[in-house]
Amino acid sequence: MVVVPMNVVLLSTYELGRQPFGLASPAAWLRRAGAEVTRADLSRQPLPGDAVRAADLIAFYVPMHTATRLAARTLPLIRQLNPNAHLCFYGLYAPMNEAYLRGLGAQTILGGEFEDGLVSLVERLRAGRAAQVEPTVSLPRLQFLLPDRSQLPPLKRYARLQVNGRERVVGYTEASRGCKHLCRHCPIVPVYNGVFRIVQPDVVLADIRQQVAAGAEHITFGDPDFFNGPGHALEIVEALHLEFPQLTYDVTIKIEHLLKHSQHLARLRATGCLFVTSAVESIDDAVLARLAKGHTRADFLEVARRFRAVGLTLAPTFVPFTPWTRLEDYLELLNLIAELELIDNVAPIQLAIRLLIPSGSKLLELAEVAALVGEFDPASLVYPWRHADPRVDALQRAVQEAVHAAEHRGEPRSRIFDTIWTLAHDAAGRPAHPVSAPRLARAAIPYLNEPWYC
């Protein structure tokens, strides 16, 4: 049987400074299906114009809000170069924004476990059928292939780990997708709805192996929650440590799971885990209940205590600006971060994050949220809202601008925290007494040097 040639271009616009798994994994599937695949990470390399002109299929990987907005901005150039190629969007934010993306010209939308859908799309196009038959959201249990990372920029061009005064080259992989939990503000929930899927351990380890060969000294696991399946996760990191005892890694785990499975914290540290990112979001129990986070302020405090006892670094993330945040609440958050000696553990941008309410958000199920949002804004891909106290919105903008400017100047986190501290106290009309918390040596706190956006 003659296989019809098919030229495919996979594009990523932004993924937190990581070499995109969402390009490398489907590339392997599509090459096995006989397609000629060009992949490009536009955050690190130029648009491959010749490949775009020759493409039968152009597919954007959109795992995040920022990535989706950047992809939309790139579309006019794509259409100018090749008005006839079939246009696909795949990844978490594709089905959430289906109507908007189809309005921009997208012909196929794939969410969830997208590799199989992309292969089906190529086979459909070979048969001359343009109309989508694949489900918009598909959650099969896939047998993954070793990601094909050829053509992507070298790892040294991506975010670096900063630790003990030196930089390490960072690789990135995924051991699972989706999440068992239903946090209302989380963009994973509208797509996976409580389902999570694993990547087979042999594939994960082989992917890490090829990245170590390419220079990786540290691995970021991009799982939404590494402890959705703690047995699966621990099997991987123990095998990883056995094969590469000098390799370090970081993971993301819910506060709820860090508390429930805290007996494993020492195992994480012993196998090379340098830090754990956890979405604390708020220290207000009423806000946490609205978000359905599954933890309380007291839980966060207990997890912070247990991390100190084990000697593992906690990297909390927050959504400090919500419709329910008062200026006093924001000051309380800053005070608590200082009291817990977490100033250098928190990326400054985390203190500027404003609650996003995207299409399909479970937050819209709350009557109070439905009543306060405006009409969906396709340009920003969110339902806009304003705080009842204009000072809160003004403070959020001021903090965001200050963080961007300070990070551009290369200021340390502790100095940026002092700036935020002053801005917050000024907004509340209170004297900004110096922060009295002890400051740790910044080099002692490991972190990745890529600014974080959602």
Side-chain angles (χ1 to χ4, degrees):
M1 183 179 68
V2 177
V3 176
V4 177
M6 184 65 60
N7 294 318
V8 179
V9 174
L10 303 178
L11 299 174
S12 173
T13 55
Y14 174 72
E15 198 183 358
L16 290 169
R18 304 159 171 169
Q19 192 185 70
F21 184 91
L23 294 188
S25 179
W29 286 66
L30 292 169
R31 288 188 65 185
R32 187 178 68 170
E36 291 293 328
V37 184
T38 300
R39 70 230 68 153
D41 179 358
L42 302 186
S43 74
R44 293 296 189 275
Q45 58 193 140
L47 184 73
D50 290 343
V52 168
R53 291 184 188 93
D56 302 294
L57 166 63
I58 300 170
F60 278 97
Y61 175 50
V62 286
M64 306 176 67
H65 181 264
T66 297
T68 310
R69 296 184 67 184
L70 291 173
R73 293 177 193 172
T74 309
L75 273 181
L77 177 56
I78 294 292
R79 279 313 191 200
Q80 180 183 343
L81 293 173
N82 187 340
N84 299 316
H86 189 96
L87 189 62
C88 170
F89 283 77
Y90 68 98
L92 193 64
Y93 269 74
M96 291 172 58
N97 296 286
E98 180 177 7
Y100 171 69
L101 295 174
R102 289 197 186 277
L104 295 178
Q107 294 153 283
T108 297
I109 300 292
L110 300 171
E113 306 300 277
F114 46 74
E115 285 87 351
D116 202 31
L118 285 167
V119 171
S120 174
L121 168 57
V122 164
E123 293 172 346
R124 168 162 57 88
L125 294 179
R126 279 194 178 124
R129 301 191 303 271
Q132 180 167 353
V133 296
E134 301 79 16
T136 302
V137 174
S138 181
L139 302 174
R141 299 180 188 275
L142 299 180
Q143 179 62 49
F144 283 84
L145 302 177
L146 175 65
D148 181 354
R149 296 182 178 275
S150 62
Q151 298 183 3
L152 292 174
L155 295 178
K156 65 182 180 181
R157 299 222 9 228
Y158 287 90
R160 301 290 189 94
L161 174 75
Q162 306 285 333
V163 60
N164 295 326
R166 66 177 291 261
E167 289 187 345
R168 294 185 192 172
V169 176
V170 177
Y172 172 81
T173 195
E174 296 176 4
S176 66
R177 289 182 182 150
C179 186
K180 296 195 297 188
H181 297 271
L182 300 172
C183 304
R184 286 196 182 99
H185 66 305
C186 179
I188 297 169
V189 175
V191 175
Y192 281 87
N193 197 30
V195 172
F196 93 105
R197 293 286 182 252
I198 68 165
V199 181
Q200 289 72 31
D202 61 325
V203 175
V204 178
L205 292 168
D207 187 29
I208 293 172
R209 200 171 290 124
Q210 69 176 346
Q211 293 184 75
V212 170
E217 303 166 278
H218 177 91
I219 296 293
T220 290
F221 285 94
D223 309 43
D225 192 313
F226 201 59
F227 273 1
N228 267 318
H232 171 67
L234 292 169
E235 175 188 350
I236 288 171
V237 296
E238 286 175 349
L240 174 65
H241 185 64
L242 185 64
E243 185 172 355
F244 301 108
Q246 302 306 313
L247 192 69
T248 57
Y249 66 90
D250 68 272
V251 297
T252 297
I253 304 176
K254 282 172 62 71
I255 291 293
E256 177 183 354
H257 283 167
L258 290 172
L259 202 56
K260 180 179 180 181
H261 303 296
S262 62
Q263 73 273 21
H264 297 314
L265 295 182
R267 293 174 72 186
L268 291 179
R269 185 175 185 276
T271 53
C273 184
L274 286 186
F275 63 93
V276 177
T277 300
S278 192
V280 177
E281 314 299 44
S282 176
I283 60 169
D284 184 323
D285 284 341
V287 173
L288 291 170
R290 289 183 175 100
L291 301 181
K293 277 300 299 176
H295 72 259
T296 64
R297 174 191 178 118
D299 293 337
F300 166 48
L301 297 178
E302 178 59 20
V303 165
R305 185 192 69 78
R306 295 187 188 188
F307 266 67
R308 286 194 298 272
V310 171
L312 190 57
T313 297
L314 180 66
T317 64
F318 297 98
V319 182
F321 290 97
T322 74
W324 312 285
T325 302
R326 303 170 303 165
L327 292 176
E328 293 78 9
D329 300 326
Y330 191 76
L331 291 176
E332 185 180 1
L333 172 63
L334 298 182
N335 271 299
L336 185 61
I337 290 171
E339 289 174 9
L340 294 176
E341 300 180 15
L342 292 175
I343 289 174
D344 282 309
N345 298 53
V346 178
I349 194 63
Q350 290 297 320
L351 299 176
I353 298 296
R354 178 182 173 88
L355 180 67
L356 295 181
I357 306 177
S359 177
S361 173
K362 293 289 185 180
L363 280 169
L364 295 169
E365 296 175 355
L366 297 178
E368 63 177 316
V369 173
L372 67 85
V373 299
E375 292 293 322
F376 184 75
D377 179 10
S380 58
L381 300 180
V382 296
Y383 288 91
W385 58 270
R386 291 183 180 178
H387 200 283
D389 182 350
R391 296 178 301 166
V392 176
D393 286 339
L395 175 61
Q396 187 275 329
R397 291 190 296 270
V399 171
Q400 180 170 291
E401 291 170 3
V403 169
H404 288 169
E407 288 186 335
H408 182 72
R409 293 191 296 267
E411 292 185 11
R413 287 183 174 183
S414 59
R415 186 180 302 168
I416 301 174
F417 185 88
D418 289 340
T419 298
I420 296 170
W421 177 271
T422 299
L423 288 171
H425 282 78
D426 288 348
R430 297 186 181 182
H433 301 297
V435 183
S436 59
R439 305 299 178 97
L440 301 178
R442 183 67 191 94
I445 308 298
Y447 71 103
L448 299 178
N449 64 359
E450 180 85 5
W452 188 94
Y453 302 91
C454 58

